[in-house]
Amino acid sequence: MAIYFQNTLVRTADFLKTSKRYSSSQSLSRAKKKGHIALKNVGSLVFAPGTAQQTAELYSVASWEGLRVIDAEKLPGGLTAINRIGKAIGVGEATIIEWGLFNRLDLYWVAGTFFANLLQAQSIAAASKK
């Protein structure tokens, strides 16, 4: 259990700001339906493909060196943003990140947002309340 970083996905809003090909979220959605772009859902958020350099510039990452980088295809299903997890189990986001830092929970950083598995977080929270 650890913290993993995804360096090739960009929030669709940020993608629209930096891309000259698409003018709105509707045009991006149409491109997805036609198969011109592969958007990725993580939790309830949608991300567009980018490059590691583009992602680093957008989210102020100095270097990917030394970080556990994971491919977009290897992101597990069932991920939830940690702010939603915190509300669901009654703990703060800092506590959930602490669990990831101390290898109690897998955390995934995607375009500036941390995600985790809700069921794992619930079991950790239940065990810590005992």
Side-chain angles (χ1 to χ4, degrees), residues 23-103:
S23 60
S24 67
S25 59
Q26 290 83 9
S27 63
L28 197 58
S29 178
R30 283 192 299 272
K32 179 185 177 186
K33 286 180 184 177
K34 292 181 181 181
H36 297 292
I37 190 166
L39 298 179
K40 175 103 172 132
N41 290 357
V42 180
S44 61
L45 302 176
V46 181
F47 298 93
T51 64
Q53 180 182 358
Q54 180 185 26
T55 305
E57 289 173 6
L58 281 170
Y59 303 108
S60 302
V61 177
S63 172
W64 298 110
E65 203 171 307
L67 300 176
R68 293 180 178 144
V69 178
I70 188 170
D71 293 331
E73 296 80 32
K74 293 184 181 179
L75 285 170
L79 295 178
T80 305
I82 64 167
N83 63 344
R84 291 185 184 216
I85 292 173
K87 289 176 185 175
I89 62 176
V91 298
E93 293 178 39
T95 302
I96 298 170
I97 292 174
E98 178 186 313
W99 293 343
L101 286 173
F102 293 107
N103 296 326

Side-chain angles (χ1 to χ4, degrees), residues 1 76-82 84-86 88-89 96 99 104-108 115-128:
M1 299 193 179
L79 295 178
T80 305
I82 64 167
R84 291 185 184 216
I85 292 173
I89 62 176
I96 298 170
W99 293 343
R104 295 180 70 194
L105 176 70
D106 284 337
L107 290 178
Y108 300 89
F115 293 89
N117 185 304
L118 176 61
L119 296 176
Q120 284 180 336
Q122 286 174 330
S123 67
I124 293 169
S128 65

